[in-house]
Amino acid sequence: MRHEPGADCAACAIRAKSICGAVPHRDLDILSRSRRQIRFDRRQTIVRAGEPATSFFSIVSGVVKLCRSLSDGRTQIIGFRFPGEFFAISAADTYATTVEALTFVEVCQFPHSLLKRLVQAFPQLQTRLLEMSNHYLAASEDQIFLLGRKTAKEKVASFLLSYNEKLTQESAGGHCMHLPMTRTEIADFLGLTTETVSRVLTGLAREKIITVGLSHSVRLLNVDLLQHFSGN
Amino acid sequence: MRHEPGADCAACAIRAKSICGAVPHRDLDILSRSRRQIRFDRRQTIVRAGEPATSFFSIVSGVVKLCRSLSDGRTQIIGFRFPGEFFAISAADTYATTVEALTFVEVCQFPHSLLKRLVQAFPQLQTRLLEMSNHYLAASEDQIFLLGRKTAKEKVASFLLSYNEKLTQESAGGHCMHLPMTRTEIADFLGLTTETVSRVLTGLAREKIITVGLSHSVRLLNVDLLQHFSGN
DNA sequence: CGTGGTTTTGAGCCCGTTCAAGTATCGTGG
DNA sequence: CCACGATACTTGAACGGGCTCAAAACCACG
């Protein structure tokens, strides 16, 4: 975890996509003074479930996972958050979810008290928070359907497609993606085991629907067929 | 579906618990004019996934289920909503989730355009919406863990406990509850089949942890043991 | 008191898990 | 640049929890 005093919010590359896009240009200095930029390396924990909830975070770069686990080792990844997205907005006084860096990550940290003041000063900021919360809620509902009713193959296909979509909406990619998560993390996200994820992926590769390359790279050869197997 | 012109918001029993509690007393007439009260009988559909999203709903009385289903019949209940809670706030232009009445239900319907104006007029209303959305998000995350990593017994135990909690926080009940949902609906909520839910319930009854009575009534005899089996 | 839907119970099966072994990959230091 | 160890991934065989299919029991309602 490394600190950085005040790189200017006006120069922030993903400001428009993040909650900060709701703050008017002329007030960006207020924003700059409210937040602290922190960096984490892969595998570092950003917030830990159960600890007192003090801050809200917005991702500048990198990917994080939100997860919940039981003392017996069972772990479920609730979701991933990408640049421009936020986490730890809970109204409760302790964090409900552990958040860990999947890659090198830069986040902006806003103490809850400060966020509250910002929100009062900039109503559009709250509108943006609500919009994004509702978006996360819709994504959670998709995930609930996936976990409750889809087969292993459908789960993996859905996962690959949704990740592909997230990439292509940023920059037109030729269906070749570098997943920042391991097989175990995919399994913990889909409610499966590592072995099953691996088996399904090699199965899809044998059917010539994807190719699995080195360093977590996957190429989607037949998006239509994948869609068909995703059960949507 | 029956209409009712304008029963007064000032007389509304659950106003304080709902989003309407964020609107000042003196402005309740604006609220009364914005909404329309509608009633539904059990099994009636309130909104249907895929149809154009025009309105937002707040529950005055009764219970509804939010669900998603596939053309092959697989159904997953995303969650339930109780008096004071809302649904169909999605920013998308079509409803993502079908909402159906589990009991006789009274809802207040707010067209999206009107809600937008209300929110601009009353910033605290948006604060309330955000708070409640975050609460639903936290509940969804619990459900994601449950669906992904819990056993059938743990699922049913968790369900009974959370429903019991919802009841006791309203009125001190002697652990005897009337579930408004059928076995199939419990199954669709927990990602199980009707048969499994039935088997687990009779199992719990055989262990003297609960008793299952007539017309969907369940009494919790040993909450501590149930907690133990819920895996939390 | 019949009728239709819901719930329970039973028997057998299957998908995904568990356990175990083997292989590939990555990072590190020589 | 390569050898090495640690971690991640793959593959196989057997198991088992929850599903499927089927039938009986129960309840609600006219």
Side-chain angles (χ1 to χ4, degrees):
Chain A
M1 194 198 307
R2 286 163 276 175
H3 291 207
E4 185 124 318
D8 199 350
C9 285
C12 177
I14 45 82
R15 191 183 74 246
K17 296 178 59 184
S18 77
I19 60 155
C20 307
V23 173
H25 269 253
R26 63 175 181 284
D27 295 315
L28 286 182
D29 53 332
I30 301 179
L31 203 61
S32 294
R33 271 179 272 122
S34 304
R35 68 97 172 76
R36 212 171 51 155
Q37 217 178 76
I38 319 183
R39 296 164 179 208
F40 295 88
D41 287 321
R42 163 151 181 84
R43 256 154 236 275
Q44 282 192 291
T45 300
I46 302 174
V47 313
R48 200 180 300 275
E51 292 188 353
T54 59
S55 295
F56 162 93
F57 298 83
S58 181
I59 302 181
V60 177
S61 73
V63 185
V64 305
K65 61 175 176 183
L66 319 186
C67 48
R68 228 162 260 212
S69 40
L70 249 44
S71 49
D72 64 9
R74 280 179 285 179
T75 296
Q76 175 68 39
I77 294 181
I78 305 302
F80 300 103
R81 292 283 186 273
F82 298 87
E85 303 186 321
F86 65 75
F87 57 88
I89 199 183
S90 129
D93 54 353
T94 56
Y95 295 117
T97 307
T98 296
V99 182
E100 203 184 292
L102 273 192
T103 64
F104 173 72
V105 165
E106 300 173 280
V107 297
C108 284
Q109 177 182 35
F110 299 86
H112 280 154
S113 55
L114 259 167
L115 182 71
K116 204 170 171 182
R117 269 197 272 161
L118 281 175
V119 148
Q120 281 162 357
F122 306 110
Q124 319 96 295
L125 182 58
Q126 198 163 35
T127 305
R128 178 71 74 104
L129 283 171
L130 184 57
E131 274 172 15
M132 292 176 72
S133 278
N134 287 332
H135 179 253
Y136 299 151
L137 195 54
S140 295
E141 295 184 356
D142 287 341
Q143 195 65 7
I144 284 175
F145 185 89
L146 178 145
L147 290 168
R149 292 297 181 218
K150 287 192 179 178
T151 64
K153 190 173 184 179
E154 289 172 336
K155 286 178 176 181
V156 173
S158 302
F159 169 72
L160 291 174
L161 283 169
S162 72
Y163 194 79
N164 183 55
E165 220 166 286
K166 187 165 284 286
L167 288 190
T168 49
Q169 79 185 32
E170 303 193 344
S171 59
H175 299 313
C176 183
M177 355 185 254
H178 283 263
L179 304 175
M181 58 289 279
T182 65
R183 294 284 183 275
T184 304
E185 283 162 339
I186 296 172
D188 285 343
F189 182 55
L190 300 178
L192 298 170
T193 58
T194 313
E195 295 91 328
T196 301
V197 171
S198 179
R199 274 186 256 268
V200 172
L201 284 174
T202 52
L204 288 172
R206 204 169 295 131
E207 295 183 73
K208 305 253 190 283
I209 295 170
I210 63 172
T211 51
V212 181
L214 294 185
S215 66
H216 298 172
S217 84
V218 172
R219 180 183 292 269
L220 308 190
L221 300 177
N222 192 334
V223 175
D224 292 344
L225 244 180
L226 204 58
Q227 204 109 44
H228 174 254
F229 285 129
S230 77
N232 279 334
Chain B
M1 194 197 306
R2 286 161 278 176
H3 291 207
E4 186 125 316
D8 198 350
C9 284
C12 177
I14 47 82
R15 192 182 75 248
K17 296 177 61 183
S18 77
I19 59 155
C20 308
V23 173
H25 270 253
R26 64 173 181 285
D27 294 316
L28 286 182
D29 54 332
I30 301 179
L31 204 60
S32 293
R33 270 179 273 123
S34 303
R35 67 98 173 76
R36 210 171 52 151
Q37 218 178 76
I38 318 182
R39 295 162 180 210
F40 296 88
D41 288 320
R42 163 152 182 83
R43 259 155 233 274
Q44 282 193 289
T45 300
I46 303 174
V47 314
R48 200 180 301 276
E51 292 188 354
T54 59
S55 296
F56 162 93
F57 298 84
S58 181
I59 302 181
V60 177
S61 73
V63 185
V64 304
K65 62 175 177 183
L66 320 187
C67 48
R68 227 162 260 211
S69 39
L70 248 46
S71 49
D72 64 10
R74 281 181 284 179
T75 296
Q76 176 68 37
I77 295 182
I78 305 303
F80 301 103
R81 291 283 187 273
F82 297 87
E85 303 186 321
F86 65 75
F87 58 87
I89 199 182
S90 129
D93 56 352
T94 57
Y95 295 117
T97 307
T98 295
V99 182
E100 202 184 295
L102 274 192
T103 64
F104 173 72
V105 164
E106 300 172 279
V107 297
C108 285
Q109 177 182 36
F110 299 85
H112 281 153
S113 55
L114 259 166
L115 184 70
K116 204 170 170 181
R117 268 197 273 162
L118 280 174
V119 148
Q120 281 162 357
F122 307 110
Q124 320 96 292
L125 182 58
Q126 197 164 36
T127 305
R128 179 70 73 102
L129 284 171
L130 183 58
E131 274 172 15
M132 291 176 73
S133 278
N134 287 332
H135 180 252
Y136 299 150
L137 193 55
S140 295
E141 295 185 356
D142 286 341
Q143 195 65 7
I144 284 175
F145 186 90
L146 179 144
L147 290 168
R149 291 300 180 215
K150 286 191 179 180
T151 64
K153 190 173 184 180
E154 289 172 335
K155 285 177 176 181
V156 173
S158 301
F159 169 72
L160 291 174
L161 284 169
S162 72
Y163 194 79
N164 182 55
E165 221 167 284
K166 188 166 283 285
L167 288 190
T168 51
Q169 82 185 29
E170 303 194 343
S171 60
H175 299 312
C176 183
M177 355 186 255
H178 282 264
L179 303 177
M181 57 288 281
T182 65
R183 295 284 182 275
T184 304
E185 284 162 338
I186 296 172
D188 285 343
F189 182 55
L190 299 178
L192 298 170
T193 58
T194 312
E195 295 92 325
T196 301
V197 171
S198 179
R199 274 186 255 269
V200 172
L201 284 174
T202 53
L204 289 172
R206 205 169 294 130
E207 297 184 70
K208 304 254 191 284
I209 295 168
I210 65 172
T211 51
V212 181
L214 295 186
S215 68
H216 297 174
S217 82
V218 173
R219 180 183 291 269
L220 308 190
L221 301 176
N222 192 335
V223 175
D224 292 344
L225 243 179
L226 203 59
Q227 204 110 43
H228 173 253
F229 285 129
S230 78
N232 280 333

